Amino acid sequence: MDVLEKMSTPFLTSEQYQTWFKLMPIEVYVTDAVLGKNDIKMELGLKCSMQTMVGLKPKNTFDRKDIQFKPVSKIPEKLTANIAAISTYESASRIISSNFKGKEFTSGSRKIVVQNVALWQKDGKIIIALDMTGSINGTIYLSGIPNYNAVTKEIYFEQMDYVLTTKGLLTRTANWLLQGVILKKIQENCRYSIRENLEDGKKV
């Protein structure tokens, strides 16, 4: 049990993306003991789930009482690994903020630079707050529906638009920012890949 508890301790796989790998044992398979001339042999197998998480170090949720020992005649040779990639809003905000680093969005002589991004959930959508400087100094708010691209392994946002309060303010003060081309460029940067998270989990 001490070995399983140690195996369950999350460890860092990527400092750049603050990616953690976590192994969660579910069942231990045990074959019958075979008496040899000089020793006693038995085989052990482990059924577990794996997660890769982005953000703060997750807690070790290992509980000895939850582990089941299951006697089997033969250890299964085929292994199937289920890997989940979990990202917190805080880590997603940090990664998306880096996507905007050094980029300017222009319309004629006007331009904006996104300095920081914050995300949170509301009414089934993700609210995206963009702190910007330039022709506009302040924060604008957009909403979008999160989705996952299984080909590129990216999380992105569909039906992205300015929230009503922001749209009303821009209509009066910065109508140029409501242009579809600006919103499309912003939307292209509001995405991030979890490919590395999934690959890290497979390697382990």
Side-chain angles (χ1 to χ4, degrees):
M1 282 294 189
D2 290 339
V3 174
L4 292 180
E5 185 170 5
K6 187 173 183 179
M7 291 172 59
S8 302
T9 302
F11 60 90
L12 190 66
T13 59
S14 171
E15 290 189 12
Q16 179 181 2
Y17 294 103
Q18 284 295 296
T19 305
W20 299 85
F21 177 82
K22 183 179 180 181
L23 182 73
M24 295 176 292
I26 300 171
E27 291 180 343
V28 177
Y29 300 118
V30 185
T31 64
D32 293 333
V34 177
L35 302 179
K37 188 175 181 179
N38 300 312
D39 54 19
I40 301 175
K41 294 182 179 179
M42 65 174 62
E43 294 183 17
L44 296 175
L46 179 64
K47 178 181 179 181
C48 62
S49 62
M50 295 176 286
Q51 292 181 344
T52 55
M53 300 181 178
V54 179
L56 298 176
K57 181 179 180 178
K59 294 181 180 180
N60 186 345
T61 54
F62 177 80
D63 191 334
R64 295 169 183 251
K65 300 189 298 293
D66 293 337
I67 305 301
Q68 301 179 29
F69 283 83
K70 190 173 183 180
V72 294
S73 58
K74 185 179 180 181
I75 300 297
E77 294 181 359
K78 184 177 180 180
L79 300 177
T80 301
N82 295 319
I83 303 172
I86 300 176
S87 175
T88 64
Y89 291 134
E90 181 182 359
S91 61
S93 300
R94 186 171 60 252
I95 294 172
I96 293 177
S97 292
S98 67
N99 292 346
F100 284 97
K101 188 174 182 180
K103 294 184 179 179
E104 294 183 350
F105 300 91
T106 61
S107 176
S109 60
R110 292 166 290 227
K111 67 178 182 180
I112 56 171
V113 178
V114 177
Q115 302 292 345
N116 190 53
V117 180
L119 281 71
W120 61 87
Q121 187 271 345
K122 183 180 180 181
D123 300 330
K125 292 186 176 183
I126 298 297
I127 303 299
I128 305 163
L130 304 176
D131 296 335
M132 56 181 59
T133 58
S135 299
I136 294 180
N137 290 289
T139 304
I140 65 171
Y141 301 89
L142 302 99
S143 67
I145 299 175
N147 212 327
Y148 174 66
N149 187 322
V151 177
T152 63
K153 305 294 188 298
E154 285 184 320
I155 293 175
Y156 64 100
F157 300 95
E158 292 184 329
Q159 301 177 30
M160 182 175 284
D161 198 3
Y162 299 101
V163 300
L164 289 178
T165 52
T166 293
K167 184 176 290 187
L169 178 63
L170 294 179
T171 300
R172 297 191 302 271
T173 62
N175 192 53
W176 60 273
L177 199 55
L178 294 174
Q179 296 178 16
V181 62
I182 298 292
L183 181 60
K184 185 177 181 181
K185 289 180 179 179
I186 291 175
Q187 185 172 0
E188 288 173 354
N189 286 277
C190 287
R191 61 174 59 218
Y192 67 101
S193 173
I194 60 170
R195 180 187 296 274
E196 183 172 337
N197 308 347
L198 296 172
E199 292 299 324
D200 284 342
K202 291 178 182 179
K203 290 176 184 176
V204 179

